[in-house]
Amino acid sequence: MKTIQQIPFAVLGTGAAFTVLWGVADPVAAYAEVKVVEVDDYYIVGDGPDETMAVAKEYTKARARRAASERAGVFVAALSEVKMGKLTRDEVRTISSTVLEVLDVSVTPVPVQVETDSGSFSVLRLHCHMVAKVDTENVMEQLRMDIIKREAAVKKNQVLEKEFDAIDANVVRIKEEYKTADASGKERLNQEMKANERRFEAMEWCRKGDSYSLFEEGGDKEAVVCYNKALEIDPTYANAWVCLGLIYHVTLTESDEKYFRKAVELEPENALYWDYLGDSLLVFAGSRGTSENFEECVACYEKATKLDPGNPDYWLHLGRAYKTWSWKEVRESLSFLENDSQKRQLMELCNKAIACYNKAIECNPGVAHFWYELGDIYRLRLDQEDKAEECYQRADEIKRVSGAGQKG
């Protein structure tokens, strides 16, 4: 939903202005500090298709919170670099969004007269004023978060950011098309705007569910309620299906596979969703599955690598699938060493795994556990101790230099 530019600032983009009230002169001098951020954001209602006022107000709040979060990220990045080491941009955005606490927020409708070539008309400018704070204690708690949990939070936040951008772009497009549309076109655009509003509401329920599932002890039940609420509003929202699948993938209270299958059905070009489906299938294939189960699992990971070949995690997961498959073949055949056909199959699977691990390393050579897992293939499957030792030494070197990376 388009905002009116008021006080431009490079970090926030258009439509938002802010003030930061720092607690002390040095932003990283102490842990127990509170940083207060004030943000103003604006959104016009009445310059296009019919809109639901309540949704428009919530959207304006979401825009303001996003702006405040961006500003909070400046402090999070500085604190993390001094105390814990440099974070990626996505990690900074995720942590700043998580630790931001809204102290006060108000949305005030202001009538505005707009002049056009065909005359003047009245619109409402929604002015959102938000005051939020960032407590350094909460930032440090997030910085100490388990790396696996942080990676999950970053992935979820990336999805929500992408959804938010799509919603924003849709409204801009719909309002622009509405200016010159005929009667039937305007009706179509009204329906598109309503669908966009539903997607926004569903996204907000997923955001709420994520806060329970990721950051609340025993919050899975509340998260499931939120994700189901999102699907009630918009059954075509793939992210909500994925969020439910991820809950059940961890809790094992229900099969997760059908949720990921629904997600890839709705968004077949989303690499992350194919990767999640591969994860689900690998659990079954590794425990009691057949070669056909492994083939389907591998096909999902391959789909992810084709859609996003620059993502090292997808290559890593594909390599793990081949490695797990090779181990299953060894485990299930007592006469393995005497069977030339099985030897060739093992070699083929191991070589495919090695190729995938090397692709992951090519995408990001500075991750220690990529090298560890490659070394394991050489040592445990191919009995090539020299190559394995080279990989382990490289992993240890990365850990010494960066202080990060763990054997996965």
Side-chain angles (χ1 to χ4, degrees), residues 47-58:
D47 59 339
D50 293 336
E51 297 181 68
T52 305
M53 182 60 69
V55 176
K57 287 182 177 180
E58 290 304 313

Side-chain angles (χ1 to χ4, degrees), residues 13 16 53 90 132 138 141 196 214 246 260 354 359 371 373:
M53 182 60 69
D90 285 325
N138 295 335
E141 182 179 344
N196 210 51
L214 291 169
L246 291 172
F260 297 130
I354 289 171
K359 286 292 292 184
W371 291 94
E373 294 201 26

Side-chain angles (χ1 to χ4, degrees), residues 226-247:
C226 293
Y227 299 144
N228 278 316
K229 181 65 176 178
L231 288 177
E232 287 178 19
I233 296 170
D234 185 356
T236 68
Y237 187 29
N239 183 40
W241 289 99
V242 164
C243 288
L244 282 170
L246 291 172
I247 289 282

